[in-house]
């Protein structure tokens, strides 16, 4: 599901590197079980010291959120996000933030439907040195 959300030629290597480095902030993953031993979605939540448009610290953050096409628009994604929000509250967060690509209209609409407000648009740059 992570590859569906963020395609990469070396996703297994990136995940291994992530776990090898460790993560200093609390992180949690919540999954949508189809009831037959397979998964239909997940949300990965974390905390960050800062997020655009937020006034408090730490801030809960929806790091990744995926629901399989065949079960979308049934409230499953909203349920996962609400569980992630409760988890963030248990970590002392009073705000929850997220992001999406500028052209991801589906994600934008899903966030808006759950009460998230757009606070900023940015374009990020990089250069190999």
């Amino acid at each position: 599901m992570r590859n569906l959300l963020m395609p990469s030629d070396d996703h297994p290597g990136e995940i291994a590197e992530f776990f090898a480095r460790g993560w200093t902030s609390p992180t949690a993953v919540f999954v949508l079980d189809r009831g037959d031993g397979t998964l239909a979605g997940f949300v990965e939540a974390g905390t960050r010291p800062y997020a655009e448009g937020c006034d408090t610290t730490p801030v809960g953050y929806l790091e990744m959120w995926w629901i399989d096409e065949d079960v979308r628009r049934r409230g499953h994604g909203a349920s996962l996000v609400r569980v992630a929000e409760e988890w963030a509250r248990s970590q002392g967060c009073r705000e929850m933030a997220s992001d999406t690509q500028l052209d991801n209209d589906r994600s934008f609409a899903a966030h808006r439907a759950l009460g998230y407000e757009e606070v900023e648009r940015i374009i990020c740059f990089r250069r190999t040195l």
Side-chain angles (χ1 to χ4, degrees):
M1 283 184 270
R2 282 173 154 257
N3 273 338
L4 293 170
L5 181 61
M6 297 178 56
S8 169
D9 291 335
D10 187 32
H11 204 74
E14 292 167 0
I15 292 172
E17 181 181 324
F18 171 85
F19 286 110
R21 268 195 326 257
W23 191 255
T24 57
S25 298
T27 304
V29 177
F30 304 97
V31 297
L32 175 60
D33 186 345
R34 289 180 178 271
D36 63 2
T38 63
L39 302 178
F42 77 99
V43 65
E44 181 180 309
T47 64
R48 296 183 178 190
Y50 167 81
E52 288 78 5
C54 293
D55 298 319
T56 62
T57 188
V59 177
Y61 208 89
L62 295 175
E63 300 290 349
M64 294 192 172
W65 179 22
W66 176 265
I67 303 296
D68 285 343
E69 291 276 346
D70 66 317
V71 295
R72 288 185 183 170
R73 303 188 58 81
R74 297 183 190 176
H76 299 302
S79 294
L80 283 177
V81 169
R82 297 299 181 230
V83 169
E85 291 170 345
E86 285 300 318
W87 173 84
R89 279 187 199 93
S90 78
Q91 301 301 306
C93 299
R94 295 184 319 212
E95 293 178 282
M96 193 78 170
S98 186
D99 61 65
T100 191
Q101 299 293 319
L102 290 174
D103 62 349
N104 191 338
D105 296 332
R106 265 190 187 169
S107 178
F108 182 83
H111 281 85
R112 296 285 299 174
L114 293 177
Y116 284 76
E117 61 181 305
E118 181 180 341
V119 295
E120 190 171 316
R121 289 187 177 226
I122 62 172
I123 298 174
C124 301
F125 296 93
R126 71 169 292 279
R127 181 173 185 229
T128 302
L129 299 177

